Amino acid sequence: MSVMPYTAELHSHETYLNRSYTLRSWLLTKDHKRIAILYMGSITLFFVLGGFAALLMRINLLVPAGFMAPDLYNKLFTMHGVIMVFFFLVPSVPVTAGNFVIPLMIGARDLAFPRLNLASWYIFVAGFLVTACALVAGGVDTGWTFYAPFSTGYSNTFVFLTVLGIFISGFSSILTGLNFIVTVHTMRAPGLTWFRLPLFIWSLYATSIILVLATPVLAITLVMVAFERVTGVGIFNPALGGDPVLFQHLFWFYSHPAVYIMILPGMGVVSEIVACFSRHCVFGYKFVAFASLAIALLGFLVWGHHMFVAGESIYAALVFSFLSYLVAIPSAIKVFNWTATLYQGSIRLDTPMLYALGFIGLFTMGGVTGLFVAALGVDVHVHDTYFIVAHFHYIMVGSMVMGYLGAIHYWWPKMTGKMYPEWWGRFSAFTIFMGFHLTFFPQFVLGYLGMPRRYATYDPQFQILNVLSTAGASILGVGYVLPLCYLLWSFKYGSDAGPNPWGATGLEWQTPSPPPTHNFERTPVVTQGAYAYHEMEPAGA
Amino acid sequence: MIAEFRLFPESASSISSQVDHLFFYLVAVTGFFVLLIFVLILYFAIRYRRTRAGTCPPVASSNRLELTWTVIPLMLALTMFFWGARLYVRMFDPPADAMDVYVIGRQWMWKIQHPEGRREINELHVPLGRPVKLIMSSQDVIHSFYVPAFRIKHDVIPGRYSVLWFEATKLGTFDLFCAEYCGTNHSRMTGKVVVMPPADYEAWLAGTVPDESPARAGAELFRSLGCATCHGQQAPTLAGLYNRQVQLADGSTVLADTNYLRESIMDSTAKIVAGFAPVMPSYRGQLSEEQLIQLIEYIKSLQDAEQAPVHRPAIQTEPRPSRRLP
Amino acid sequence: MPDEDTILTREGILAEQFDDLAQQTEAGTLGMWIFLATELLLFGGLFTGYISYRLAYFQGFHEASGHLYFTLGSINTAVLLTSSYFVALAVHAARQGRSRAVSGWLLGAAGLGAVFLAIKATEYYLEYREHLVPWMDFQFEGAYPAHAQLFFIFYFLMTGLHAVHMLVGMALLLIMALLARLGRFSAEYHNPVELTGLYWHFVDIVWVFLYPAFYLLNPHS
């Protein structure tokens, strides 16, 4: 057993939170836990902004002719996409729960590169500030996908500023991914072999591989767009013999793996929660672990499924469709394994568990609609319609945001030492689940009917379904506001949580809540697998 | 609003019901699994809820179970792939006797050019029961030509031609939408496809004021741009070229389709015909989309008859000095 | 061993999140390799674009390549390869604890880097004078001006990106040379020098691909 060179003398109440209250101690911290909190505050703010844009969009869509000028609507959906994808979903679980929990879960004092971690937060905020400048200056109207030649030569909005902001924030992603990979490889506690790692770590490891390999391609693609905006000449310009479809290949080479960046961490969270609240090791542990890696690998091979009608050859389309079906299989394996984990378990439907089960249900629905769009003959009809919008929102919002909220609720006692009011938690989870369905299920119907996406105005035949969707969105909005309120409330008024309120396995629950700055008094030694619930003291009902 | 409300789109082309059949298959299979998972989760959550303190048996893993729920979804996924792939290939393989119609997309309208001469804006008249092949390009940004009732769609791209075909099976008027975001009035770049009985269509085509056919305009361009100076002598003859196989200088063969004709005019050195020198100047930047269509229609109209003999690579006995035309 | 580790921590060599120097070294090395993988993909995007256009417009790219300064580019290749050799010698010296030699070789490599950049700047200036910069009054007397413009866009973007990486690399070399001079490294602890060497070699390898892609397409003075 190795001994830490730095032995922390623990005061009975010293935690990473009360160690120092100065602003400087927060802004210059190297503590992964404080950095996680900094990130959490930032992305919550960004989520509210992106959500506000969505609210305005859905209000506009109440009537076919719309309430606002099309230019404004176009800017709103662009900013909604840019903020939600790059400034909320991609960071979400990795930078909050990942940063906070990974060192704790593997028995380390911090991540491998704490200063890089802090730099990563500053870069992230800087990227957002640059994008926010574009917003304030008048917005951008290209869609978050920046297709050339519209974005490079025709849009009259602040494209350069926006892509610059996203470019900057991309380095934050890369550094976080790099940090996680090195940490998991080199800083596991003695006895913590790869197959004793919690599945949350496997998921984040797979996510980090995608982060480091895919993000640079986006970075250079955005550089090419920015270059053409500034100089007026570029490689996507048909007048020079340039190929606008090349942009799409380069863009989707990142942006498809990006969706796996967005969902894999949520899957990791679900594994933890389902295991804990059924008091069962996750069924098929190794299969779930390898499924994460398979998703990461296969996810790099399917980008062309965004381009079935964009001008790629039939042969390319066939290959990408086939591979897209393959990538669905590891996700299916996970869903079956999570369901099997419940079998003969001892289940409690606490708030985190409700979020996790909601994730599984909504991910199953969103995932199977992926099978629809992977089918070449059907995608021709539904591509660029609300069917696609519904498909990805079922996964991004239905699953991933629920996964994020599940993570926050599950680890909230560890992060803050407080419990939130349970019934408000369950009520919010339920509200979100129902509001979500009402918002997005009608959009499947709208899409197959033929309503294209990114439409500021639409044909009257689509109105009823749009009204239903907006009604759902208002309920969803309420569901999101509630946790914001009661979680903040619990900071001050919540009951004390103790080190392990859920009776969960995992090293993070072996330290006090909140943990001391250096996490562990003594580096733990691991002697068993991740979810040894059957060897634990039975938990109370 | 109420009167127009529907939950499922009309089916008005030869392919649309085939798409719907695949769609229903997907709904059935995926619906089954979604229901299965939902029911199982609900059942387990209730059946195994925590009633009293007690340990659970350690989980038994089962490779057989894993294999089962890997292989069965994989098999089902492959059926979906094959069905979708077959349909897609059919959707993008126009029949040989399809009638051509040219489409130019631009911010924010659709310009249609029938080869016989009629032009339309935001409307496409077609006859019932005849395959129609749309040859489309964009004047500015990427658009997408989408007719939900026909279940067809393809992006319309600047700098190249995309091809889409359909055969209307129902009379009536159907929505046409632009389905690739293209700027301010993307959502207003809509139109109508009007399907008429064949006789009515012929009458409509003749119309009140016959516009000049694009092929006639193309013949004039062919002369004024100096194409006639070389083609037919030291440049490959164009008679009967369209849809023939062409042998290239690097040994490969290529089909002389509309994209080939377009590329040869815009980037003539991309594919050099065997036995010829790469001396044709590029006309990039000198021709509008309409003029390109006119030239191509003219070239397509050149038959063997009283024109030059059947196209074959000319055999040059001595190298020609390279020459640039004004 | 606790005492040695405590000494190292106090000297600022062993960071407090690591248990021992071996762990820190392993982490640093893995981190640098991952970073280089990201750089590979960064340049990879540009190479992908370059390759697809070269395949489509070979004639035009061939013609444009003839307007590059083949001799200067070749000299630059020799300069950069030599600088990598110097860096390899520096790492070798570091492993033997010979700090003066480390410093010397690193300074030499940085110096050659400066020579490289000076030659590159000269090329850029000459190309500017010949109106070969695509966004500055581009004029091209050839059969394929549009494709030449594409060629030069890639040329300036890719060699420019490479030059930026060289500047960063040179800064690292100078910093490491200074630290070596100040006696911060030893045979036991010199990982930063190794990692800097890795980075510099990578930048060199990128050039080894840029050179044939652009200059060797149509090499003539």
Side-chain angles (χ1 to χ4, degrees):
Chain A
M1 177 172 143
S2 80
V3 176
M4 294 165 27
Y6 179 105
T7 42
E9 221 66 44
L10 285 173
H11 294 244
S12 49
H13 300 294
E14 185 190 286
T15 71
Y16 79 98
L17 284 173
N18 63 22
R19 185 179 65 79
S20 164
Y21 290 114
T22 67
L23 191 62
R24 185 194 156 96
S25 72
W26 275 93
L27 293 180
L28 293 180
T29 183
K30 291 192 298 188
D31 185 350
H32 64 100
K33 301 180 288 299
R34 285 195 167 198
I35 295 173
I37 303 294
L38 289 173
Y39 264 113
M40 194 158 72
S42 318
I43 69 172
T44 304
L45 174 66
F46 303 157
F47 179 78
V48 168
L49 277 169
F52 185 64
L55 190 65
L56 293 176
M57 284 161 63
R58 283 258 43 108
I59 290 176
N60 182 65
L61 291 170
L62 278 172
V63 293
F67 293 115
M68 55 180 70
D71 271 334
L72 177 58
Y73 183 83
N74 297 339
K75 289 176 183 177
L76 281 173
F77 77 66
T78 302
M79 288 319 269
H80 171 71
V82 165
I83 294 177
M84 286 310 203
V85 169
F86 296 114
F87 295 102
F88 178 72
L89 282 166
V90 164
S92 64
V93 165
V95 303
T96 52
N99 265 331
F100 198 99
V101 168
I102 289 180
L104 290 167
M105 257 187 186
I106 65 173
R109 279 186 293 290
D110 205 311
L111 291 176
F113 307 117
R115 280 175 301 188
L116 220 55
N117 201 13
L118 182 67
S120 160
W121 180 70
Y122 277 107
I123 294 171
F124 179 65
V125 173
F128 181 80
L129 287 175
V130 172
T131 308
C133 286
L135 185 70
V136 165
V140 63
D141 71 348
T142 58
W144 79 276
T145 48
F146 298 105
Y147 272 20
F150 181 75
S151 67
T152 47
Y154 289 83
S155 171
N156 288 322
T157 59
F158 294 89
V159 177
F160 176 77
L161 262 184
T162 310
V163 303
L164 179 63
I166 298 171
F167 174 81
I168 292 171
S169 76
F171 289 101
S172 161
S173 287
I174 291 174
L175 292 177
T176 297
L178 191 154
N179 225 336
F180 285 177
I181 294 177
V182 175
T183 303
V184 173
H185 269 280
T186 62
M187 295 175 73
R188 282 167 287 128
L192 188 51
T193 59
W194 281 90
F195 288 115
R196 286 178 175 171
L197 283 170
L199 289 166
F200 181 67
I201 304 284
W202 279 98
S203 294
L204 283 180
Y205 183 81
T207 305
S208 301
I209 292 177
I210 310 176
L211 279 169
V212 302
L213 294 181
T215 315
V217 179
L218 176 75
I220 202 65
T221 309
L222 293 178
V223 165
M224 295 190 237
V225 170
F227 178 85
E228 193 164 342
R229 289 294 291 187
V230 167
T231 63
V233 287
I235 65 165
F236 305 121
N237 188 351
L240 292 181
D243 185 1
V245 180
L246 177 65
F247 171 82
Q248 294 179 41
H249 280 290
L250 289 169
F251 177 81
W252 287 112
F253 187 80
Y254 161 77
S255 299
H256 188 80
V259 315
Y260 298 110
I261 292 175
M262 296 188 252
I263 200 65
L264 273 169
M267 292 173 154
V269 171
V270 167
S271 290
E272 296 303 310
I273 294 178
V274 167
C276 171
F277 291 93
S278 14
R279 306 207 64 70
H280 240 182
C281 178
V282 174
F283 196 94
Y285 170 95
K286 276 197 181 167
F287 283 88
V288 177
F290 284 123
S292 295
L293 294 179
I295 291 171
L297 172 65
L298 288 170
F300 273 100
L301 304 179
V302 299
W303 77 90
H305 69 216
H306 298 267
M307 299 164 62
F308 287 152
V309 293
E312 64 184 10
S313 74
I314 291 193
Y315 309 104
L318 289 170
V319 169
F320 282 121
S321 170
F322 177 75
L323 289 167
S324 302
Y325 278 105
L326 288 189
V327 80
I329 302 301
S331 294
I333 291 175
K334 287 197 178 196
V335 169
F336 292 130
N337 276 298
W338 289 323
T339 309
T341 307
L342 298 174
Y343 178 69
Q344 291 191 334
S346 174
I347 298 173
R348 246 184 61 162
L349 296 177
D350 289 45
T351 305
M353 186 61 154
L354 288 179
Y355 279 116
L357 294 179
F359 178 107
I360 298 174
L362 294 174
F363 177 74
T364 304
M365 289 180 70
V368 297
T369 55
L371 300 174
F372 284 72
V373 298
L376 288 163
V378 170
D379 187 65
V380 171
H381 177 55
V382 300
H383 172 71
D384 261 337
T385 67
Y386 264 85
F387 194 93
I388 305 286
V389 174
H391 161 70
F392 67 70
H393 279 93
Y394 258 79
I395 309 196
M396 292 300 127
V397 178
S399 314
M400 192 48 221
V401 175
M402 287 199 102
Y404 173 74
L405 288 171
I408 297 298
H409 284 76
Y410 182 58
W411 282 300
W412 187 259
K414 179 58 54 185
M415 291 194 237
T416 61
K418 303 286 191 182
M419 286 301 287
Y420 49 83
E422 175 63 18
W423 281 102
W424 278 108
R426 292 183 185 178
F427 177 71
S428 306
F430 182 74
T431 308
I432 290 172
F433 187 78
M434 301 311 272
F436 177 84
H437 275 297
L438 186 58
T439 311
F440 290 104
F441 195 85
Q443 294 186 5
F444 283 121
V445 182
L446 272 174
Y448 204 81
L449 273 174
M451 179 174 171
R453 59 184 292 198
R454 296 175 167 172
Y455 262 34
T457 63
Y458 56 83
D459 203 82
Q461 62 177 295
F462 301 129
Q463 184 172 20
I464 294 183
L465 291 163
N466 269 291
V467 169
L468 275 177
S469 182
T470 302
S474 54
I475 299 173
L476 194 57
V478 167
Y480 288 141
V481 166
L482 288 174
L484 199 57
C485 298
Y486 66 69
L487 286 175
L488 282 174
W489 177 92
S490 77
F491 254 127
K492 190 128 193 265
Y493 301 108
S495 53
D496 283 332
N500 194 355
W502 313 121
T505 62
L507 291 176
E508 76 268 29
W509 302 104
Q510 311 303 323
T511 67
S513 304
T517 302
H518 287 92
N519 296 343
F520 297 96
E521 197 172 335
R522 237 180 226 96
T523 304
V525 175
V526 175
T527 52
Q528 58 192 10
Y531 306 105
Y533 281 99
H534 55 281
E535 288 178 21
M536 280 189 85
E537 292 293 306
Chain B
M1 163 174 64
I2 306 284
E4 297 161 354
F5 176 65
R6 11 174 7 127
L7 279 173
F8 203 77
E10 261 187 288
S11 171
S13 81
S14 59
I15 206 86
S16 51
S17 54
Q18 296 178 51
V19 173
D20 290 345
H21 291 155
L22 174 53
F23 180 73
F24 293 137
Y25 172 69
L26 290 165
V27 169
V29 174
T30 60
F32 168 75
F33 280 99
V34 168
L35 223 56
L36 178 69
I37 297 291
F38 272 59
V39 162
L40 280 177
I41 290 179
L42 222 55
Y43 175 66
F44 289 160
I46 297 173
R47 166 79 175 80
Y48 298 109
R49 67 189 179 285
R50 194 174 304 174
T51 44
R52 54 181 178 77
T55 50
C56 312
V59 153
S61 67
S62 164
N63 284 352
R64 197 177 312 153
L65 204 51
E66 300 282 353
L67 203 61
T68 310
W69 64 43
T70 304
V71 168
I72 291 183
L74 183 61
M75 296 290 111
L76 287 169
L78 288 177
T79 65
M80 298 170 182
F81 164 69
F82 278 112
W83 191 339
R86 254 190 36 203
L87 197 48
Y88 182 81
V89 168
R90 230 177 279 147
M91 282 165 114
F92 289 104
D93 185 23
D97 63 339
M99 53 175 266
D100 294 346
V101 177
Y102 291 93
V103 175
I104 298 175
R106 54 157 292 186
Q107 287 172 324
W108 287 281
M109 64 170 76
W110 297 102
K111 301 203 285 198
I112 316 282
Q113 170 80 65
H114 294 258
E116 301 82 351
R118 285 241 24 198
R119 289 181 181 170
E120 318 188 60
I121 302 257
N122 291 335
E123 263 187 24
L124 169 62
H125 284 74
V126 293
L128 178 74
R130 262 193 80 189
V132 175
K133 186 170 88 177
L134 300 176
I135 303 171
M136 317 185 287
S137 79
S138 164
Q139 252 177 261
D140 40 39
V141 300
I142 301 180
H143 302 274
S144 192
F145 192 93
Y146 177 38
V147 184
F150 297 170
R151 313 286 188 275
I152 57 162
K153 178 192 291 110
H154 202 282
D155 280 6
V156 173
I157 306 163
R160 71 162 96 167
Y161 285 125
S162 319
V163 173
L164 193 55
W165 84 272
F166 64 88
E167 181 183 317
T169 52
K170 236 196 212 171
L171 295 172
T173 304
F174 305 101
D175 289 319
L176 159 65
F177 295 130
C178 175
E180 183 59 56
Y181 176 70
C182 54
T184 308
N185 285 321
H186 166 60
S187 61
R188 294 187 179 139
M189 192 168 156
T190 60
K192 296 283 176 218
V193 179
V194 181
V195 182
M196 321 169 81
D200 292 9
Y201 175 73
E202 295 304 325
W204 174 87
L205 211 52
T208 51
V209 180
D211 298 334
E212 184 186 52
S213 80
R216 294 268 295 276
E220 181 47 45
L221 274 173
F222 194 80
R223 209 172 29 252
S224 66
L225 287 171
C227 321
T229 319
C230 295
H231 281 285
Q233 291 145 61
Q234 71 265 46
T237 52
L238 304 179
L241 169 63
Y242 180 60
N243 268 343
R244 288 285 188 92
Q245 292 288 331
V246 178
Q247 182 156 53
L248 299 180
D250 62 6
S252 61
T253 359
V254 77
L255 177 68
D257 58 7
T258 37
N259 259 324
Y260 172 81
L261 294 179
R262 183 201 177 99
E263 188 185 37
S264 304
I265 298 170
M266 300 295 247
D267 286 309
S268 51
T269 54
K271 295 183 175 63
I272 307 296
V273 178
F276 290 91
V279 296
M280 176 176 166
S282 158
Y283 286 85
R284 179 177 291 285
Q286 298 180 49
L287 295 169
S288 70
E289 288 296 325
E290 274 99 338
Q291 287 174 319
L292 255 177
I293 291 172
Q294 288 161 358
L295 273 174
I296 288 173
E297 272 299 292
Y298 170 65
I299 294 169
K300 282 160 74 170
S301 74
L302 291 175
Q303 298 306 315
D304 304 341
E306 64 257 14
Q307 313 285 341
V310 171
H311 174 260
R312 58 172 180 271
I315 296 143
Q316 310 261 253
T317 49
E318 61 191 53
R320 297 274 169 178
S322 65
R323 218 179 72 179
R324 273 181 62 204
L325 291 171
Chain C
M1 297 178 306
D3 290 322
E4 185 187 305
D5 291 338
T6 321
I7 294 171
L8 289 172
T9 316
R10 230 185 289 133
E11 286 180 13
I13 290 177
L14 180 63
E16 56 181 7
Q17 69 269 19
F18 294 116
D19 292 334
D20 52 47
L21 199 57
Q23 191 184 51
Q24 178 172 293
T25 303
E26 188 193 349
T29 308
L30 179 59
M32 177 52 81
W33 278 105
I34 294 174
F35 176 68
L36 293 181
T38 72
E39 295 277 47
L40 188 66
L41 280 140
L42 189 74
F43 280 95
L46 284 170
F47 271 105
T48 304
Y50 169 83
I51 290 170
S52 46
Y53 285 129
R54 173 168 155 167
L55 287 173
Y57 304 136
F58 183 78
Q59 301 270 6
F61 270 38
H62 185 268
E63 185 180 58
S65 169
H67 289 255
L68 287 177
Y69 290 89
F70 172 70
T71 314
L72 291 179
S74 306
I75 293 175
N76 253 353
T77 306
V79 164
L80 203 53
L81 285 171
T82 311
S83 76
S84 255
Y85 177 58
F86 283 10
V87 167
L89 289 173
V91 171
H92 185 66
R95 289 176 186 162
Q96 294 173 337
R98 298 184 289 121
S99 287
R100 289 269 300 276
V102 172
S103 190
W105 287 119
L106 289 179
L107 279 173
L112 286 178
V115 169
F116 178 97
L117 288 177
I119 295 177
K120 196 91 216 93
T122 310
E123 280 183 86
Y124 281 171
Y125 177 67
L126 291 171
E127 279 141 7
Y128 164 71
R129 283 267 299 272
E130 289 188 20
H131 300 280
L132 291 174
V133 180
W135 60 93
M136 290 179 179
D137 191 24
F138 184 82
Q139 292 165 24
F140 192 78
E141 291 292 316
Y144 319 101
H147 301 165
Q149 212 168 355
L150 284 175
F151 177 89
F152 280 104
I153 291 172
F154 279 106
Y155 168 75
F156 282 107
L157 260 180
M158 294 175 81
T159 58
L161 188 65
H162 177 260
V164 166
H165 282 79
M166 283 215 42
L167 280 169
V168 171
M170 282 165 60
L172 285 174
L173 289 174
L174 291 172
I175 293 172
M176 291 304 141
L178 178 64
L179 289 177
R181 195 76 180 78
L182 292 176
R184 291 293 188 82
F185 301 125
S186 61
E188 292 77 36
Y189 172 70
H190 56 269
N191 205 36
V193 179
E194 300 251 9
L195 299 187
T196 302
L198 273 178
Y199 180 80
W200 189 260
H201 291 316
F202 175 79
V203 173
D204 195 6
I205 289 176
V206 172
W207 180 260
V208 164
F209 280 86
L210 289 178
Y211 173 68
F214 289 105
Y215 293 90
L216 295 186
L217 200 44
N218 188 3
H220 64 268
S221 308

